[in-house]
């Protein structure tokens, strides 16, 4: 079994969709505190459409799976997380070359770089990058150290969760929350929370693949 | 053919009204303005694939100037560029102008047959009359 084949990527995204649906109200509550209260609903709608699209057109090619995820999210999410997550999957699709942990780490890093470029944000701005960045670093380090894919993704998920939790005291510098200034402190960022679900979904769905 | 114009907004009603206002500056002339507005369910939101389609339809070879409202409209317009063919992408300008004032300036300039750089520049100057008036 190839570690990171089309079926594995499909399972990853399906698990992300399941988690986003389960956490829909929690994500929306976070967004209600510092944003416009639509993050959970938007992401759930987008990922529900993604699951339907992958069922309607199952792809054998791993990059094609990621491309379908990207274009469906871009089309259906509606809010800023549409182009941001869409760009993540679009760039990851373009960078995916191979089916091992190293290829996955390279693709995820390219996706992260795409989100940085699209959002013109940095770590510490209280955004999804605060979870996604540490996750990429942990994944790269674990893969470089020769750890198994299981261990590498577990480390990435833990790093994402720590990064998410660390957004709570931060003052937002991007997106709607930045209009609140100092009042955005004291709340976990909803984008960092959903990005953590993305990484946790990978750790769960790809478990046992290497 | 004039430079193409596309309006990107969270709201279909807002985009259509902005286009109507701009067309009012051009009585008796038929200037095509593409609109990509609202989410897939007709609610507030933006969709980069719809923007890419509107830009493609608006291009007649001389390029397209895109006016947008705020937030995800900007991110979606940038994402739409990634979805376009390479040669078309080079003919598209994303304008940082305010939507209403920028569209009026762009529409009048595009209708005169100016190139896209000039259309984009006039869109950006769209705020100047209001600023000058209120600072006086």
């Amino acid at each position: 079994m190839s570690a990171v084949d089309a079926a594995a990527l499909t399972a990853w995204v399906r698990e992300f969709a399941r988690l986003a649906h389960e956490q829909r109200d929690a994500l929306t509550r976070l967004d209600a505190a510092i944003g416009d209260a639509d993050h959970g609903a938007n992401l759930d709608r987008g990922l529900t459409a993604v699951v339907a699209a992958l069922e309607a057109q199952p792809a054998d090619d791993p990059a094609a799976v990621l491309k379908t995820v990207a274009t469906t999210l871009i089309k259906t999410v509606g809010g800023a997380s549409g182009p941001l997550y869409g760009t993540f999957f679009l760039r990851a699709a373009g960078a995916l070359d191979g089916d091992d942990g190293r290829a996955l780490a390279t693709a995820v890093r390219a996706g992260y770089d795409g989100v940085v470029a699209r959002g013109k944000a940095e770590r510490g701005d209280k955004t999804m990058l605060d979870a996604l960045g540490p996750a990429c670093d942990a994944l790269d380090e674990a893969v470089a150290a020769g750890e198994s894919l299981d261990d590498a993704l577990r480390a990435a998920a833990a790093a994402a969760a720590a990064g998410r939790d660390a957004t709570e005291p931060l003052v937002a510098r991007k997106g709607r929350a930045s209009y609140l200034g100092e009042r955005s402190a004291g709340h976990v960022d909803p984008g960092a929370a959903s990005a953590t679900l993305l990484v946790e979904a990978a750790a769960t769905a790809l478990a046992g693949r290497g | 053919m004039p430079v193409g114009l596309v309006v990107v907004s969270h709201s279909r009603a807002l985009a259509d009204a902005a286009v109507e206002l701009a067309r009012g500056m051009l009585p008796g002339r038929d200037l095509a303005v593409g609109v990509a507005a609202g989410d897939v369910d007709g609610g507030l939101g933006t969709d980069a694939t719809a923007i890419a389609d509107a830009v493609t339809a608006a291009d007649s070879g001389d390029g397209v100037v895109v006016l947008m409202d705020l937030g995800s409209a900007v991110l979606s317009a940038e994402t739409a560029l990634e979805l376009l063919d390479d040669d078309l992408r080079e003919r598209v300008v994303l304008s940082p102008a305010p939507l209403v004032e920028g569209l009026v300036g762009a529409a009048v300039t595009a209708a005169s047959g100016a190139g896209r750089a000039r259309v984009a520049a006039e869109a950006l100057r769209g705020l100047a009359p209001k600023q000058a008036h209120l600072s006086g």
Side-chain angles (χ1 to χ4, degrees):
Chain A
M1 179 169 68
S2 297
V4 189
D5 56 13
L9 294 173
T10 301
W12 172 24
V13 174
R14 289 180 65 95
E15 176 64 7
F16 182 33
R18 194 188 67 77
L19 289 174
H21 183 70
E22 187 182 275
Q23 300 287 319
R24 174 192 166 113
D25 292 344
L27 290 171
T28 290
R29 270 197 303 278
L30 291 176
D31 198 25
I34 60 170
D36 52 356
D38 62 3
H39 189 52
N42 282 348
L43 207 54
D44 186 28
R45 177 176 61 227
L47 286 166
T48 300
V50 164
V51 169
L54 290 174
E55 271 169 17
Q57 285 183 306
D60 294 332
D61 174 33
V65 171
L66 297 179
K67 187 89 190 290
T68 298
V69 176
T71 51
T72 308
L73 288 177
I74 284 167
K75 196 190 283 284
T76 56
V77 169
S81 52
L84 290 169
Y85 277 113
T87 299
F88 173 84
F89 283 105
L90 205 56
R91 299 288 178 89
L96 189 66
D97 184 17
D99 60 5
D100 59 2
R102 189 174 298 272
L104 180 66
T106 301
V108 168
R109 171 69 65 182
Y112 167 79
D113 289 343
V115 177
V116 171
R118 176 70 64 241
K120 305 211 166 56
E122 299 171 7
R123 293 191 207 184
D125 285 348
K126 197 175 180 108
T127 71
M128 60 194 284
L129 297 177
D130 291 320
L132 215 46
C136 283
D137 293 349
L139 188 59
D140 281 342
E141 274 173 38
V143 167
E147 290 181 27
S148 69
L149 184 61
D150 274 9
D151 289 345
L153 287 172
R154 268 198 294 270
R164 171 199 63 201
D165 294 345
T167 62
E168 185 165 344
L170 298 178
V171 172
R173 288 198 289 259
K174 285 286 172 184
R176 300 254 186 166
S178 64
Y179 290 109
L180 294 175
E182 297 291 332
R183 280 184 292 141
S184 63
H187 303 277
V188 167
D189 178 64
S194 65
T196 300
L197 299 181
L198 172 69
V199 184
E200 287 175 345
T204 303
L206 274 62
R209 283 184 171 262
Chain B
M1 291 292 286
V3 168
L5 297 177
V6 168
V7 172
V8 176
S9 172
H10 282 66
S11 156
R12 179 85 209 187
L14 176 60
D16 287 344
V19 170
E20 188 187 354
L21 191 67
R23 284 220 180 93
M25 300 288 292
L26 302 163
R29 302 179 66 173
D30 187 26
L31 181 73
V33 181
V35 167
D39 69 14
V40 280
D41 299 327
L44 296 181
T46 58
D47 167 359
T49 60
I51 299 168
D53 290 346
V55 167
T56 303
D59 178 54
S60 55
D62 292 316
V64 179
V65 175
V66 181
L67 283 301
M68 65 211 87
D69 59 17
L70 71 171
S72 72
V74 181
L75 298 182
S76 288
E78 290 182 309
T79 305
L81 290 185
E82 288 197 40
L83 305 175
L84 297 174
D85 294 338
D86 290 344
D87 64 323
L88 174 54
R89 186 183 308 125
E90 289 169 14
R91 296 197 297 275
V92 178
V93 180
L94 303 184
S95 170
L99 176 57
V100 173
E101 291 85 347
L103 180 62
V104 170
V108 171
T109 313
S112 76
R116 64 180 177 275
R118 181 73 209 295
V119 172
E122 289 302 313
L124 206 49
R125 273 175 28 82
L127 205 51
K130 189 160 81 180
Q131 282 172 324
H133 181 89
L134 293 175
S135 68

